[in-house]
Amino acid sequence: MSSEIVVLVFDIIICILGVNAILSALRMKKTGIPSSILIPGEEQFKIRNKEVFCEKMYQPTVLFGVMICLYGVVDVLNSYVIRVAYVDLVCMGCFLIVCAWYLKKLRDVKEMHMHM
């Protein structure tokens, strides 16, 4: 399998995960129950106020989903439509920054709303 196919599959998986994050955020907002992608099912009982947790994680989760979808689309476009030097590096850097930001935000909100 060529490396271009592997990268394409990776980009498609990234886009699917982004859409899943957005849908999970919308489901959290509607139901008031944290998504199992944020809090595993066996730890759901540890959350003090599920509605507030969902409110605080809704916007960051949507933003995270949009950003990683955007990364996947830009990477596919840069690989197959328009080749621009250094776009891959810039996109990967932005992707890693967004992932680090989201994980920090999730950890901070978990610390505020979960009892151990």
Side-chain angles (χ1 to χ4, degrees):
M1 189 181 292
S2 74
S3 63
E4 287 183 359
I5 298 298
V6 172
V7 171
L8 178 62
V9 169
F10 177 74
D11 290 335
I12 290 169
I13 291 170
I14 289 291
C15 286
I16 290 169
L17 291 174
V19 170
N20 187 28
I22 294 167
L23 294 175
S24 294
L26 293 172
R27 196 174 317 111
M28 277 191 326
K29 184 173 179 111
K30 181 179 178 183
T31 64
I33 299 170
S35 172
S36 60
I37 65 170
L38 301 180
I39 306 289
E42 59 273 2
E43 293 184 12
Q44 293 276 337
F45 72 93
K46 294 179 181 179
I47 301 172
R48 287 187 216 124
N49 190 337
K50 291 181 180 184
E51 291 79 19
V52 174
F53 179 87
C54 290
E55 285 176 23
K56 288 185 178 179
M57 286 309 300
Y58 169 72
Q59 191 173 13
T61 303
V62 169
L63 183 61
F64 176 71
V66 168
M67 293 302 292
I68 64 174
C69 280
L70 185 61
Y71 166 76
V73 169
V74 168
D75 198 43
V76 167
L77 290 175
N78 192 50
S79 296
Y80 295 99
V81 179
I82 301 170
R83 288 216 179 262
V84 178
Y86 301 109
V87 168
D88 287 335
L89 290 175
V90 171
C91 285
M92 183 59 73
C94 291
F95 176 78
L96 293 173
I97 289 168
V98 167
C99 287
W101 165 80
Y102 184 72
L103 289 173
K104 181 180 180 343
K105 180 73 173 174
L106 179 59
R107 185 177 51 236
D108 293 346
V109 173
K110 276 183 173 181
E111 286 175 1
M112 285 190 289
H113 294 282
M114 289 183 75
H115 51 75
M116 300 297 162

